[in-house]
């Protein structure tokens, strides 16, 4: 009798998607006040400013993530990077490529409710975390050509030597040619064709201006000025 009652209580199978997922255009949980997916320029700017991306793939052993500095080529619609030849990732990519995601993260920080003026009036505030992220959905292919990796390494080096304000930027020509050849042979190029970008800039847009600015002041006091400036920039 108990089993019969329980069986009647179980929900019937359904082919309908859960209501929370129905009609969602993104894979990323992204409330409208944080959704920046339509601002492609802002997304690309974050990717260039924070080029260390997490490449997420699904191979024979399941999910995997590799953290790589990417070259962002908007004109060609691709991301480029390289992995160690000893890394099994590139051998797991089929000849015709595979789906992949690259996650880029910008400024991020903990937000204490103590920074909200409103908290001290109602005590109806809780902690949170603010951040800016971009999810790149694309198609991953292997580029195991010496010309590809040589050009990529040269461009990445030139870019990041400039960013690091070197008085005399390092160039591949600074090292013996046979040594550079050996190093290049030890890496494999990869390319991700951009198919879709998702952006989530969570900067307290859902808070009153005084609370958002109070949190920005709190971040400033901790030296997290970049995140604080992003939050103030919403005014």
């Amino acid at each position: 009798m108990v089993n019969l009652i329980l069986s009647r209580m179980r929900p019937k199978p359904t082919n309908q998607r859960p209501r929370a997922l129905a009609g969602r255009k993104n894979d990323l949980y992204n409330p409208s006040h944080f959704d920046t997916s339509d601002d492609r320029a802002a997304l690309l700017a974050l990717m260039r400013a924070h080029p260390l991306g997490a490449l997420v793939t699904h191979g024979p052993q399941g999910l995997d993530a590799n953290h790589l500095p990417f070259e962002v080529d908007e004109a060609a619609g691709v991301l480029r990077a390289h992995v160690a030849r000893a890394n099994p990732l590139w051998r797991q990519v089929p000849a015709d490529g595979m789906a992949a995601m690259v996650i880029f993260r910008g400024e991020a920080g903990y937000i204490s409710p103590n920074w909200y003026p409103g908290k001290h009036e109602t005590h109806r505030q809780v902690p949170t975390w603010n951040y800016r992220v971009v999810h790149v959905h694309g198609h991953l292919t292997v580029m195991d050509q010496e010309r590809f990796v040589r050009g990529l390494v040269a461009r990445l080096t030139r870019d990041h030597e400039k960013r690091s304000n070197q008085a005399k930027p390092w160039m591949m020509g600074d090292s013996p040619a046979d040594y550079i050849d050996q190093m290049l042979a030890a890496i494999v190029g990869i390319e991700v064709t951009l198919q879709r970008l998702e952006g989530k800039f969570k900067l307290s847009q859902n808070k009153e201006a005084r609370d958002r600015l109070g949190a920005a002041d709190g971040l400033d006091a901790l030296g997290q000025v970049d995140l604080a400036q992003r939050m103030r920039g919403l005014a």
Side-chain angles (χ1 to χ4, degrees):
M1 178 65 71
V2 173
N3 289 338
L4 176 60
I5 294 173
L6 290 176
S7 66
R8 289 176 178 174
M9 292 175 61
R10 293 191 188 105
K12 295 180 179 180
T14 175
N15 293 325
Q16 293 181 344
R17 299 175 64 192
R19 183 173 299 176
L21 298 180
R24 271 176 52 186
K25 68 174 183 178
N26 294 336
D27 299 321
L28 170 68
Y29 172 65
N30 205 356
S32 59
H33 40 269
F34 303 142
D35 192 350
T36 323
S37 301
D38 291 336
D39 191 346
R40 188 177 180 87
L43 305 187
L44 291 168
L46 184 149
M47 292 157 60
R48 292 194 187 93
H50 304 276
L52 184 67
L55 172 65
V56 181
T57 55
H58 192 281
Q61 304 303 318
L63 288 171
D64 192 14
N66 286 266
H67 301 268
L68 310 168
F70 282 89
E71 176 187 45
V72 181
D73 188 339
E74 180 184 3
V78 299
L79 303 176
R80 302 186 185 96
H82 59 80
V83 299
R85 189 168 292 277
N87 188 329
L89 166 69
W90 69 277
R91 297 185 185 278
Q92 296 170 359
V93 180
D96 58 349
M98 64 189 293
M101 176 191 290
V102 185
I103 301 173
F104 295 90
R105 199 199 80 177
E107 308 83 8
Y110 172 79
I111 306 298
S112 170
N114 289 328
W115 293 336
Y116 300 142
K119 176 262 185 187
H120 304 284
E121 299 170 3
T122 66
H123 297 280
R124 298 178 68 85
Q125 299 283 4
V126 294
T128 190
W129 200 278
N130 280 359
Y131 53 86
R132 298 195 310 138
V133 293
V134 176
H135 288 192
V136 177
H137 299 262
H139 191 76
L140 170 67
T141 54
V142 173
M143 307 294 288
D144 191 15
Q145 299 94 25
E146 193 272 349
R147 180 178 180 181
F148 179 93
V149 295
R150 183 179 292 274
L152 174 61
V153 169
R155 293 190 301 274
L156 286 173
T157 300
R158 185 163 55 247
D159 180 26
H160 293 290
E161 286 288 307
K162 182 179 179 180
R163 294 186 191 210
S164 62
N165 296 320
Q166 297 299 311
K168 184 183 178 182
W170 184 88
M171 299 183 296
M172 287 193 290
D174 293 347
S175 298
D178 61 337
Y179 173 76
I180 293 297
D181 290 344
Q182 179 184 353
M183 292 296 99
L184 292 177
I187 60 177
V188 177
I190 60 170
E191 191 169 82
V192 178
T193 302
L194 305 183
Q195 295 176 331
R196 180 161 56 93
L197 304 183
E198 296 177 284
K200 185 175 183 179
F201 291 8
K202 184 177 178 294
L203 301 171
S204 297
Q205 298 96 319
N206 58 329
K207 298 294 183 182
E208 293 183 20
R210 61 172 183 159
D211 288 339
R212 174 169 48 80
L213 295 176
D217 290 342
L219 289 168
D220 263 337
L222 296 179
Q224 294 181 267
V225 295
D226 290 342
L227 180 57
Q229 289 176 355
R230 293 289 178 184
M231 293 167 63
R232 289 196 183 95
L234 299 173

